[in-house]
Amino acid sequence: MHRFFLNPNQILDGAVTFPEGLSRQIRKVLRLDIKKDAVIVLDNSGWEYFVQLDGNKGNQVLGHIIDRQEGRAQPSVELTLCYSQTRREKIEWILQKGTELGVAKFQPFISSRSLAQSLQPNSARRDRLEAIMREASEQSQRSKLPLLEAGCDFETMLQLTQDRSLRLIAWEGTALVRMVDMETIKPLSEHDSKSIVLVVGPEGGFSSEEVELAEKYGYQQISLGNRILRTETACIAGTAILRNLSDSLFG
């Protein structure tokens, strides 16, 4: 059954109004019968609503809620992925695949070797990135959307994330004996609220001074293996590894 995230103000008193763009997708792309078919609607609260389509009013498809249930539970360990600003297509890949893998928050930053030095996307670009995360959330059957934080400089990013239970920075200069594994995340068992932040650098890597600064904020170096990975590959590989380890240990 097709799934759609809507704003809460589009779900009122059991009635659902789909925005024009989504209505067009329902009619023209998915070719649903707008008087017979049913879909699942989500409002980012964790609930899933089963919605019977009722037809359209102007360019908007209408429906009504016939049932609801709790959506899939969020992972027991919250994962924040911090990535260096880079080319547009790489950022889109990171957000799409990171969303599918269960990243809760994305934090872009600029470090000394970042390819892109612009902190804030324009409104159209921001809308595009949020649409990518929304569609990836629908496809992967998430019940809540990830959060895309505003871009910041490297040290500000370290300050913003220093409250996470476990803070990790992937660096190609780290010895392989420090490869991320089950022992890396076991300290999370000491925390009631479990969270991990993973920081991945730009194509040129981090400087040793930046890694030293991260360590002052409680970060520990990790290796993702004996291959030098592209930024976007390291983001997805690191996310997948940490998601698998934390889910295996804490469910």
Side-chain angles (χ1 to χ4, degrees), residues 22-56:
L22 190 52
S23 296
R24 184 166 53 253
Q25 180 185 359
I26 289 172
R27 297 193 313 267
K28 304 296 185 181
V29 179
L30 300 176
R31 296 188 178 277
L32 298 182
D33 188 325
I34 61 172
K35 293 185 178 180
K36 293 182 179 179
D37 285 332
V39 298
I40 294 175
V41 166
L42 306 99
D43 60 0
N44 206 32
S45 67
W47 286 95
E48 297 180 348
Y49 303 94
F50 294 89
V51 174
Q52 175 67 54
L53 301 182
D54 294 327
N56 63 287

mmCIF file of all heavy atoms in Angstrom, residues 22-56:
data_model
loop_
_atom_site.group_PDB
_atom_site.id
_atom_site.type_symbol
_atom_site.label_atom_id
_atom_site.label_comp_id
_atom_site.label_asym_id
_atom_site.label_seq_id
_atom_site.Cartn_x
_atom_site.Cartn_y
_atom_site.Cartn_z
ATOM 1 N N LEU A 22 1.073 16.133 -4.798
ATOM 2 C CA LEU A 22 0.871 14.740 -4.415
ATOM 3 C C LEU A 22 -0.399 14.186 -5.047
ATOM 4 O O LEU A 22 -0.452 13.016 -5.450
ATOM 5 C CB LEU A 22 0.808 14.629 -2.893
ATOM 6 C CG LEU A 22 0.834 13.227 -2.293
ATOM 7 C CD1 LEU A 22 2.000 12.417 -2.833
ATOM 8 C CD2 LEU A 22 0.914 13.324 -0.774
ATOM 9 N N SER A 23 -1.412 15.020 -5.159
ATOM 10 C CA SER A 23 -2.655 14.593 -5.825
ATOM 11 C C SER A 23 -2.389 14.228 -7.276
ATOM 12 O O SER A 23 -2.922 13.234 -7.798
ATOM 13 C CB SER A 23 -3.699 15.711 -5.749
ATOM 14 O OG SER A 23 -4.072 15.971 -4.408
ATOM 15 N N ARG A 24 -1.560 15.029 -7.920
ATOM 16 C CA ARG A 24 -1.205 14.735 -9.317
ATOM 17 C C ARG A 24 -0.450 13.412 -9.414
ATOM 18 O O ARG A 24 -0.667 12.608 -10.331
ATOM 19 C CB ARG A 24 -0.367 15.880 -9.878
ATOM 20 C CG ARG A 24 -0.022 15.744 -11.357
ATOM 21 C CD ARG A 24 0.494 17.051 -11.932
ATOM 22 N NE ARG A 24 1.598 17.604 -11.155
ATOM 23 C CZ ARG A 24 1.494 18.675 -10.353
ATOM 24 N NH1 ARG A 24 0.336 19.302 -10.213
ATOM 25 N NH2 ARG A 24 2.540 19.121 -9.700
ATOM 26 N N GLN A 25 0.448 13.152 -8.454
ATOM 27 C CA GLN A 25 1.177 11.883 -8.447
ATOM 28 C C GLN A 25 0.223 10.707 -8.248
ATOM 29 O O GLN A 25 0.352 9.676 -8.913
ATOM 30 C CB GLN A 25 2.216 11.895 -7.314
ATOM 31 C CG GLN A 25 3.024 10.591 -7.225
ATOM 32 C CD GLN A 25 3.955 10.571 -6.027
ATOM 33 O OE1 GLN A 25 4.018 11.528 -5.258
ATOM 34 N NE2 GLN A 25 4.677 9.486 -5.855
ATOM 35 N N ILE A 26 -0.744 10.883 -7.360
ATOM 36 C CA ILE A 26 -1.713 9.813 -7.088
ATOM 37 C C ILE A 26 -2.517 9.490 -8.344
ATOM 38 O O ILE A 26 -2.731 8.317 -8.684
ATOM 39 C CB ILE A 26 -2.646 10.224 -5.932
ATOM 40 C CG1 ILE A 26 -1.860 10.217 -4.605
ATOM 41 C CG2 ILE A 26 -3.861 9.301 -5.843
ATOM 42 C CD1 ILE A 26 -2.638 10.786 -3.427
ATOM 43 N N ARG A 27 -2.925 10.536 -9.066
ATOM 44 C CA ARG A 27 -3.782 10.321 -10.232
ATOM 45 C C ARG A 27 -2.997 9.925 -11.475
ATOM 46 O O ARG A 27 -3.361 8.973 -12.172
ATOM 47 C CB ARG A 27 -4.595 11.595 -10.528
ATOM 48 C CG ARG A 27 -5.567 12.021 -9.455
ATOM 49 C CD ARG A 27 -6.529 13.089 -9.991
ATOM 50 N NE ARG A 27 -5.812 14.134 -10.709
ATOM 51 C CZ ARG A 27 -5.387 15.279 -10.152
ATOM 52 N NH1 ARG A 27 -5.602 15.499 -8.862
ATOM 53 N NH2 ARG A 27 -4.748 16.188 -10.868
ATOM 54 N N LYS A 28 -1.921 10.651 -11.777
ATOM 55 C CA LYS A 28 -1.251 10.528 -13.068
ATOM 56 C C LYS A 28 -0.091 9.538 -13.074
ATOM 57 O O LYS A 28 0.149 8.875 -14.095
ATOM 58 C CB LYS A 28 -0.733 11.905 -13.516
ATOM 59 C CG LYS A 28 -1.796 12.985 -13.592
ATOM 60 C CD LYS A 28 -2.837 12.673 -14.655
ATOM 61 C CE LYS A 28 -3.835 13.833 -14.797
ATOM 62 N NZ LYS A 28 -4.874 13.543 -15.820
ATOM 63 N N VAL A 29 0.636 9.453 -11.954
ATOM 64 C CA VAL A 29 1.816 8.581 -11.906
ATOM 65 C C VAL A 29 1.459 7.210 -11.354
ATOM 66 O O VAL A 29 1.704 6.176 -11.984
ATOM 67 C CB VAL A 29 2.941 9.227 -11.073
ATOM 68 C CG1 VAL A 29 4.159 8.308 -11.018
ATOM 69 C CG2 VAL A 29 3.318 10.591 -11.646
ATOM 70 N N LEU A 30 0.854 7.201 -10.168
ATOM 71 C CA LEU A 30 0.492 5.935 -9.543
ATOM 72 C C LEU A 30 -0.804 5.374 -10.112
ATOM 73 O O LEU A 30 -1.081 4.172 -9.986
ATOM 74 C CB LEU A 30 0.356 6.127 -8.025
ATOM 75 C CG LEU A 30 1.628 6.615 -7.321
ATOM 76 C CD1 LEU A 30 1.347 6.856 -5.845
ATOM 77 C CD2 LEU A 30 2.762 5.624 -7.486
ATOM 78 N N ARG A 31 -1.599 6.234 -10.722
ATOM 79 C CA ARG A 31 -2.875 5.847 -11.351
ATOM 80 C C ARG A 31 -3.797 5.109 -10.383
ATOM 81 O O ARG A 31 -4.396 4.077 -10.715
ATOM 82 C CB ARG A 31 -2.614 5.007 -12.615
ATOM 83 C CG ARG A 31 -1.879 5.758 -13.701
ATOM 84 C CD ARG A 31 -1.807 4.985 -14.999
ATOM 85 N NE ARG A 31 -1.140 5.755 -16.039
ATOM 86 C CZ ARG A 31 -1.714 6.687 -16.802
ATOM 87 N NH1 ARG A 31 -3.011 6.949 -16.618
ATOM 88 N NH2 ARG A 31 -1.031 7.336 -17.713
ATOM 89 N N LEU A 32 -3.896 5.647 -9.174
ATOM 90 C CA LEU A 32 -4.813 5.071 -8.198
ATOM 91 C C LEU A 32 -6.237 5.495 -8.532
ATOM 92 O O LEU A 32 -6.471 6.571 -9.098
ATOM 93 C CB LEU A 32 -4.453 5.536 -6.789
ATOM 94 C CG LEU A 32 -3.066 5.142 -6.268
ATOM 95 C CD1 LEU A 32 -2.877 5.643 -4.839
ATOM 96 C CD2 LEU A 32 -2.859 3.635 -6.339
ATOM 97 N N ASP A 33 -7.182 4.661 -8.157
ATOM 98 C CA ASP A 33 -8.595 4.991 -8.307
ATOM 99 C C ASP A 33 -8.977 5.876 -7.128
ATOM 100 O O ASP A 33 -9.040 5.416 -5.984
ATOM 101 C CB ASP A 33 -9.442 3.716 -8.312
ATOM 102 C CG ASP A 33 -10.900 3.982 -8.666
ATOM 103 O OD1 ASP A 33 -11.422 5.054 -8.266
ATOM 104 O OD2 ASP A 33 -11.523 3.129 -9.304
ATOM 105 N N ILE A 34 -9.207 7.157 -7.389
ATOM 106 C CA ILE A 34 -9.411 8.110 -6.298
ATOM 107 C C ILE A 34 -10.798 7.998 -5.663
ATOM 108 O O ILE A 34 -11.133 8.794 -4.771
ATOM 109 C CB ILE A 34 -9.162 9.561 -6.770
ATOM 110 C CG1 ILE A 34 -10.133 9.950 -7.878
ATOM 111 C CG2 ILE A 34 -7.712 9.722 -7.217
ATOM 112 C CD1 ILE A 34 -10.057 11.438 -8.242
ATOM 113 N N LYS A 35 -11.584 7.014 -6.076
ATOM 114 C CA LYS A 35 -12.873 6.782 -5.424
ATOM 115 C C LYS A 35 -12.966 5.391 -4.818
ATOM 116 O O LYS A 35 -13.979 5.055 -4.203
ATOM 117 C CB LYS A 35 -14.017 6.991 -6.427
ATOM 118 C CG LYS A 35 -14.162 8.430 -6.889
ATOM 119 C CD LYS A 35 -15.386 8.614 -7.781
ATOM 120 C CE LYS A 35 -15.547 10.067 -8.193
ATOM 121 N NZ LYS A 35 -16.745 10.261 -9.059
ATOM 122 N N LYS A 36 -11.903 4.575 -4.979
ATOM 123 C CA LYS A 36 -11.959 3.208 -4.458
ATOM 124 C C LYS A 36 -10.724 2.817 -3.652
ATOM 125 O O LYS A 36 -10.832 2.087 -2.672
ATOM 126 C CB LYS A 36 -12.135 2.207 -5.608
ATOM 127 C CG LYS A 36 -13.467 2.292 -6.331
ATOM 128 C CD LYS A 36 -13.554 1.219 -7.418
ATOM 129 C CE LYS A 36 -14.897 1.278 -8.141
ATOM 130 N NZ LYS A 36 -14.969 0.230 -9.215
ATOM 131 N N ASP A 37 -9.549 3.259 -4.065
ATOM 132 C CA ASP A 37 -8.314 2.781 -3.449
ATOM 133 C C ASP A 37 -8.088 3.394 -2.070
ATOM 134 O O ASP A 37 -8.659 4.440 -1.720
ATOM 135 C CB ASP A 37 -7.118 3.087 -4.344
ATOM 136 C CG ASP A 37 -7.054 2.150 -5.542
ATOM 137 O OD1 ASP A 37 -7.537 1.014 -5.426
ATOM 138 O OD2 ASP A 37 -6.526 2.562 -6.596
ATOM 139 N N ALA A 38 -7.223 2.736 -1.308
ATOM 140 C CA ALA A 38 -6.841 3.212 0.025
ATOM 141 C C ALA A 38 -5.328 3.371 0.069
ATOM 142 O O ALA A 38 -4.583 2.701 -0.647
ATOM 143 C CB ALA A 38 -7.301 2.237 1.100
ATOM 144 N N VAL A 39 -4.851 4.269 0.906
ATOM 145 C CA VAL A 39 -3.427 4.525 1.084
ATOM 146 C C VAL A 39 -3.142 4.681 2.571
ATOM 147 O O VAL A 39 -4.054 4.760 3.395
ATOM 148 C CB VAL A 39 -2.984 5.807 0.331
ATOM 149 C CG1 VAL A 39 -3.201 5.661 -1.164
ATOM 150 C CG2 VAL A 39 -3.709 7.027 0.870
ATOM 151 N N ILE A 40 -1.861 4.732 2.913
ATOM 152 C CA ILE A 40 -1.438 5.013 4.290
ATOM 153 C C ILE A 40 -0.882 6.425 4.336
ATOM 154 O O ILE A 40 -0.062 6.809 3.505
ATOM 155 C CB ILE A 40 -0.373 4.006 4.759
ATOM 156 C CG1 ILE A 40 -0.978 2.605 4.840
ATOM 157 C CG2 ILE A 40 0.205 4.414 6.109
ATOM 158 C CD1 ILE A 40 0.034 1.528 5.192
ATOM 159 N N VAL A 41 -1.353 7.180 5.303
ATOM 160 C CA VAL A 41 -0.900 8.562 5.489
ATOM 161 C C VAL A 41 -0.207 8.672 6.848
ATOM 162 O O VAL A 41 -0.651 8.077 7.836
ATOM 163 C CB VAL A 41 -2.094 9.543 5.401
ATOM 164 C CG1 VAL A 41 -1.711 10.913 5.919
ATOM 165 C CG2 VAL A 41 -2.597 9.626 3.965
ATOM 166 N N LEU A 42 0.877 9.429 6.893
ATOM 167 C CA LEU A 42 1.623 9.644 8.130
ATOM 168 C C LEU A 42 1.764 11.140 8.378
ATOM 169 O O LEU A 42 1.860 11.932 7.441
ATOM 170 C CB LEU A 42 3.011 9.001 8.049
ATOM 171 C CG LEU A 42 3.039 7.513 7.677
ATOM 172 C CD1 LEU A 42 3.358 7.348 6.189
ATOM 173 C CD2 LEU A 42 4.030 6.740 8.518
ATOM 174 N N ASP A 43 1.771 11.516 9.660
ATOM 175 C CA ASP A 43 1.901 12.933 10.005
ATOM 176 C C ASP A 43 3.159 13.219 10.822
ATOM 177 O O ASP A 43 3.258 14.258 11.477
ATOM 178 C CB ASP A 43 0.659 13.416 10.761
ATOM 179 C CG ASP A 43 0.431 12.662 12.065
ATOM 180 O OD1 ASP A 43 1.238 11.763 12.388
ATOM 181 O OD2 ASP A 43 -0.559 12.971 12.761
ATOM 182 N N ASN A 44 4.107 12.295 10.826
ATOM 183 C CA ASN A 44 5.389 12.419 11.533
ATOM 184 C C ASN A 44 5.232 12.323 13.050
ATOM 185 O O ASN A 44 6.133 12.722 13.790
ATOM 186 C CB ASN A 44 6.104 13.728 11.163
ATOM 187 C CG ASN A 44 7.609 13.627 11.333
ATOM 188 O OD1 ASN A 44 8.199 12.565 11.141
ATOM 189 N ND2 ASN A 44 8.248 14.719 11.700
ATOM 190 N N SER A 45 4.107 11.790 13.504
ATOM 191 C CA SER A 45 3.880 11.616 14.936
ATOM 192 C C SER A 45 4.207 10.196 15.396
ATOM 193 O O SER A 45 4.228 9.919 16.595
ATOM 194 C CB SER A 45 2.415 11.919 15.272
ATOM 195 O OG SER A 45 1.559 10.931 14.693
ATOM 196 N N GLY A 46 4.430 9.294 14.438
ATOM 197 C CA GLY A 46 4.633 7.893 14.762
ATOM 198 C C GLY A 46 3.419 7.035 14.470
ATOM 199 O O GLY A 46 3.490 5.806 14.511
ATOM 200 N N TRP A 47 2.284 7.664 14.153
ATOM 201 C CA TRP A 47 1.056 6.943 13.814
ATOM 202 C C TRP A 47 0.931 6.791 12.306
ATOM 203 O O TRP A 47 1.366 7.652 11.533
ATOM 204 C CB TRP A 47 -0.169 7.677 14.349
ATOM 205 C CG TRP A 47 -0.329 7.559 15.827
ATOM 206 C CD1 TRP A 47 0.103 8.450 16.772
ATOM 207 C CD2 TRP A 47 -0.958 6.491 16.541
ATOM 208 N NE1 TRP A 47 -0.212 7.992 18.030
ATOM 209 C CE2 TRP A 47 -0.861 6.794 17.928
ATOM 210 C CE3 TRP A 47 -1.579 5.305 16.148
ATOM 211 C CZ2 TRP A 47 -1.379 5.955 18.905
ATOM 212 C CZ3 TRP A 47 -2.097 4.471 17.137
ATOM 213 C CH2 TRP A 47 -1.997 4.802 18.492
ATOM 214 N N GLU A 48 0.311 5.692 11.888
ATOM 215 C CA GLU A 48 -0.036 5.464 10.496
ATOM 216 C C GLU A 48 -1.562 5.472 10.374
ATOM 217 O O GLU A 48 -2.258 4.825 11.165
ATOM 218 C CB GLU A 48 0.484 4.108 10.021
ATOM 219 C CG GLU A 48 1.990 3.975 10.052
ATOM 220 C CD GLU A 48 2.462 2.616 9.564
ATOM 221 O OE1 GLU A 48 1.604 1.705 9.429
ATOM 222 O OE2 GLU A 48 3.664 2.460 9.322
ATOM 223 N N TYR A 49 -2.062 6.202 9.381
ATOM 224 C CA TYR A 49 -3.511 6.300 9.174
ATOM 225 C C TYR A 49 -3.883 5.619 7.861
ATOM 226 O O TYR A 49 -3.299 5.903 6.815
ATOM 227 C CB TYR A 49 -3.951 7.767 9.134
ATOM 228 C CG TYR A 49 -3.577 8.536 10.376
ATOM 229 C CD1 TYR A 49 -2.395 9.277 10.431
ATOM 230 C CD2 TYR A 49 -4.382 8.518 11.508
ATOM 231 C CE1 TYR A 49 -2.036 9.980 11.566
ATOM 232 C CE2 TYR A 49 -4.035 9.215 12.652
ATOM 233 C CZ TYR A 49 -2.858 9.942 12.680
ATOM 234 O OH TYR A 49 -2.502 10.633 13.807
ATOM 235 N N PHE A 50 -4.855 4.708 7.944
ATOM 236 C CA PHE A 50 -5.372 4.078 6.737
ATOM 237 C C PHE A 50 -6.468 4.993 6.181
ATOM 238 O O PHE A 50 -7.456 5.284 6.867
ATOM 239 C CB PHE A 50 -5.918 2.693 7.056
ATOM 240 C CG PHE A 50 -4.862 1.719 7.484
ATOM 241 C CD1 PHE A 50 -4.510 1.600 8.820
ATOM 242 C CD2 PHE A 50 -4.189 0.945 6.546
ATOM 243 C CE1 PHE A 50 -3.524 0.721 9.224
ATOM 244 C CE2 PHE A 50 -3.196 0.063 6.951
ATOM 245 C CZ PHE A 50 -2.862 -0.051 8.287
ATOM 246 N N VAL A 51 -6.295 5.419 4.950
ATOM 247 C CA VAL A 51 -7.163 6.451 4.378
ATOM 248 C C VAL A 51 -7.849 5.918 3.117
ATOM 249 O O VAL A 51 -7.189 5.441 2.183
ATOM 250 C CB VAL A 51 -6.349 7.719 4.038
ATOM 251 C CG1 VAL A 51 -7.217 8.735 3.305
ATOM 252 C CG2 VAL A 51 -5.779 8.317 5.313
ATOM 253 N N GLN A 52 -9.159 6.012 3.115
ATOM 254 C CA GLN A 52 -9.955 5.675 1.941
ATOM 255 C C GLN A 52 -10.084 6.924 1.066
ATOM 256 O O GLN A 52 -10.493 7.992 1.546
ATOM 257 C CB GLN A 52 -11.350 5.211 2.361
ATOM 258 C CG GLN A 52 -12.311 4.949 1.213
ATOM 259 C CD GLN A 52 -11.882 3.752 0.387
ATOM 260 O OE1 GLN A 52 -11.672 2.680 0.929
ATOM 261 N NE2 GLN A 52 -11.746 3.944 -0.919
ATOM 262 N N LEU A 53 -9.717 6.817 -0.200
ATOM 263 C CA LEU A 53 -9.838 7.951 -1.105
ATOM 264 C C LEU A 53 -11.298 8.169 -1.477
ATOM 265 O O LEU A 53 -12.033 7.210 -1.726
ATOM 266 C CB LEU A 53 -8.996 7.722 -2.359
ATOM 267 C CG LEU A 53 -7.488 7.508 -2.123
ATOM 268 C CD1 LEU A 53 -6.765 7.338 -3.452
ATOM 269 C CD2 LEU A 53 -6.890 8.659 -1.329
ATOM 270 N N ASP A 54 -11.709 9.455 -1.531
ATOM 271 C CA ASP A 54 -13.115 9.791 -1.751
ATOM 272 C C ASP A 54 -13.381 10.532 -3.054
ATOM 273 O O ASP A 54 -14.533 10.823 -3.379
ATOM 274 C CB ASP A 54 -13.626 10.678 -0.607
ATOM 275 C CG ASP A 54 -13.655 9.944 0.719
ATOM 276 O OD1 ASP A 54 -13.896 8.725 0.717
ATOM 277 O OD2 ASP A 54 -13.417 10.600 1.756
ATOM 278 N N GLY A 55 -12.345 10.853 -3.788
ATOM 279 C CA GLY A 55 -12.543 11.660 -4.987
ATOM 280 C C GLY A 55 -11.647 12.882 -4.929
ATOM 281 O O GLY A 55 -10.613 12.891 -4.261
ATOM 282 N N ASN A 56 -12.050 13.931 -5.617
ATOM 283 C CA ASN A 56 -11.231 15.134 -5.621
ATOM 284 C C ASN A 56 -12.095 16.383 -5.559
ATOM 285 O O ASN A 56 -13.288 16.367 -5.903
ATOM 286 C CB ASN A 56 -10.333 15.177 -6.867
ATOM 287 C CG ASN A 56 -11.136 15.246 -8.154
ATOM 288 O OD1 ASN A 56 -11.744 14.259 -8.569
ATOM 289 N ND2 ASN A 56 -11.146 16.410 -8.790
#
